[in-house]
Amino acid sequence: MELSKRITGLTGGGSDGWGILYAARALEAKGQYVANLTIGEHDIRTQDIILDAMHAAALGGHTGYASVPGTDGLRHSVAQRITQRTGVKTEPENVLITPGGQAALFTAHMAVLDPGDRALFVDPYYATYPGTIRGAGGVPVPIAARSEDGFQLGTDAIDNVGADATSLLINSPNNPTGAVYSSETLHAISEACRRYDLWLISDEVYDTQVWDGTHISPRSLSGMADRTLVVGSLSKSHAMTGSRLGWIIGPEDVIEHAANLATHTTYGVPGYIQDAGEFALAQGSALENEIAAPFRRRRQIVLDTLGRQQIVKSVPAQGAMYVMLDIRATGLDGESFASALLAEEAIAVMPGESFGASAAGHIRVAMTLPDDAFSEAFARVIAFATARANAA
Ligand code: PMP
């Protein structure tokens, strides 16, 4: 029996970029300790107070079908948070609750793409982006951000392909580069979206993790609220990755159609999990800052360690839980560097190439080990690169 081209072609073939992680797991299975700096997930679990709220909601009976677009309470809380953080008046009707940011990314593309429409996304990119676009029937078109520009997106990249495209997906703070788009970058992107009549899909799941610069939501820029769909999530901000709780913010009619899609796919998000999310948001920025604090500390460890040497160049590490390192001085590409680092030092990092051609010659380090273990492993990454560069 033949499967659909949509499902067999989803990942686009080739390596899925996680070879290093699988190799690291194989070593771990043999009993070897591996310093794992690959995965974008906190080294802490969801806080007990949030789990208590979830438990209470479930025991209280919120275990039946929940309202498909989201509970009134959570939609209201998200709308209020977005209004406060961006200054754009946002109503519950502008919010659709989804099972995580990933489902929001898919839904947003489903809402704006017809089959065969060209959908722009920025290279280096988060691993699921091209497959998400293909799944929604679109044709993924990468546009390059350059290491030399700190991975800020230049509009020349959009100018080359904008006229034939339907949408542009951006992500700031960025996974994998750690870039936070400047006001100048976002104004230029917004202008290009208006010039080429593009939908802007803005993935802001790392919006609470900004170390340098300010997070600006492009939906707040003039003329953008009607053409911007914002993707958000509690995964990163509240260490709730496994709860699968996210949202799309957009014009009311888009949200209505997106809710129809939810009715025919997910049928919504469990009510007790939404109640826990509402509780988590009610804790305000104090809890968000507490969850973000370890990454802020570890980013400082990165800066201090890098400041003591000249071989490895860091791309400005402005936000999110990652740093990109330019390791071209070692003479190795990202894949060879990551393989050798795992074999010789038992440290796993992601090769830049797994995030697209623009990150070749780089590695991505996730700051997701406890401070002492992270500091020790990061120093060994730099020592390894220095030794390689000196031997080159
Ligand atoms: N966008 C980006 C850039 C991500 O890094 C992730 C998760 N790593 C997601 C979206 C999806 O997150 P979730 O589905 O857990 O909300």
Side-chain angles (χ1 to χ4, degrees):
M1 293 298 291
E2 245 181 64
L3 291 170
S4 73
K5 291 188 182 60
R6 176 183 293 126
I7 200 96
T8 55
L10 193 80
T11 57
S15 136
D16 64 2
W18 290 99
I20 291 287
L21 177 60
Y22 303 142
R25 291 214 169 124
L27 289 176
E28 284 169 342
K30 284 196 226 150
Q32 185 172 351
Y33 171 75
V34 176
N36 192 339
L37 305 175
T38 57
I39 301 182
E41 191 168 31
H42 319 68
D43 47 311
I44 55 159
R45 300 283 89 178
T46 306
Q47 299 216 331
D48 285 355
I49 48 168
I50 298 176
L51 297 178
D52 286 343
M54 195 180 289
H55 191 213
L59 287 179
H62 208 171
T63 53
Y65 290 124
S67 161
V68 172
T71 62
D72 289 345
L74 184 57
R75 291 177 93 192
H76 182 82
S77 301
V78 171
Q80 211 176 23
R81 178 182 191 268
I82 299 286
T83 305
Q84 274 164 6
R85 290 179 68 93
T86 67
V88 187
K89 196 160 165 27
T90 305
E91 303 291 348
E93 291 73 24
N94 299 117
V95 179
L96 175 77
I97 303 300
T98 60
Q102 180 55 45
L105 283 165
F106 178 69
T107 306
H109 283 96
M110 283 291 282
V112 303
L113 297 177
D114 278 319
D117 280 352
R118 293 164 71 80
L120 311 180
F121 68 104
V122 183
D123 176 344
Y125 54 88
Y126 172 53
T128 67
Y129 281 2
T132 302
I133 291 168
R134 285 190 205 99
V139 176
V141 179
I143 54 176
R146 285 179 293 262
S147 176
E148 289 67 26
D149 301 332
F151 288 115
Q152 299 279 321
L153 182 66
T155 45
D156 49 334
I158 309 175
D159 285 335
N160 293 334
V161 285
D164 295 327
T166 303
S167 61
L168 166 64
L169 169 59
I170 62 170
N171 170 224
S172 173
N174 188 274
N175 175 13
T177 66
V180 172
Y181 283 178
S182 65
S183 165
E184 192 188 4
T185 297
L186 286 166
H187 274 99
I189 290 173
S190 302
E191 255 170 51
C193 286
R194 292 196 300 272
R195 183 159 63 248
Y196 298 115
D197 197 20
L198 299 176
W199 285 97
L200 182 63
I201 299 175
S202 179
D203 178 344
E204 303 180 20
V205 301
Y206 293 98
D207 69 345
T208 60
Q209 299 179 355
V210 177
W211 327 127
D212 182 17
T214 319
H215 173 68
I216 301 171
S217 176
R219 179 168 170 264
S220 68
L221 302 183
S222 106
M224 290 306 290
D226 287 344
R227 62 170 72 244
T228 304
L229 304 179
V230 174
V231 169
S233 167
L234 292 183
S235 285
K236 312 293 175 176
S237 58
H238 292 76
M240 289 181 72
T241 47
S243 292
R244 314 307 306 129
L245 206 43
W247 56 78
I248 302 182
I249 311 295
E252 207 175 314
D253 61 327
V254 178
I255 297 302
E256 265 175 38
H257 286 291
N260 283 338
L261 179 65
T263 299
H264 295 86
T265 52
T266 61
Y267 218 84
V269 176
Y272 54 95
I273 291 183
Q274 295 194 62
D275 288 350
E278 190 181 334
F279 172 85
L281 285 175
Q283 309 312 302
S285 56
L287 178 55
E288 296 178 357
N289 292 340
E290 190 183 328
I291 303 291
F295 304 112
R296 183 186 289 280
R297 287 197 306 270
R298 293 168 201 164
R299 184 248 186 190
Q300 193 55 49
I301 292 172
V302 165
L303 296 185
D304 293 346
T305 309
L306 288 175
R308 292 194 284 269
Q309 56 83 59
Q310 316 246 298
I311 302 284
V312 176
K313 284 195 223 123
S314 128
V315 172
Q318 300 172 290
M321 31 174 100
Y322 316 97
V323 285
M324 262 299 198
L325 301 179
D326 179 345
I327 47 92
R328 285 176 284 187
T330 63
L332 298 175
D333 60 27
E335 296 266 3
S336 321
F337 185 97
S339 297
L341 185 69
L342 182 62
E344 293 174 31
E345 297 288 335
I347 299 174
V349 297
M350 290 297 287
E353 290 82 2
S354 29
F355 305 105
S358 302
H362 292 67
I363 55 167
R364 187 194 77 171
V365 174
M367 300 184 284
T368 46
L369 281 181
D371 292 16
D372 287 348
F374 176 75
S375 178
E376 195 264 339
F378 190 74
R380 285 201 288 130
V381 173
I382 301 306
F384 176 83
T386 306
R388 283 302 173 121
N390 289 338

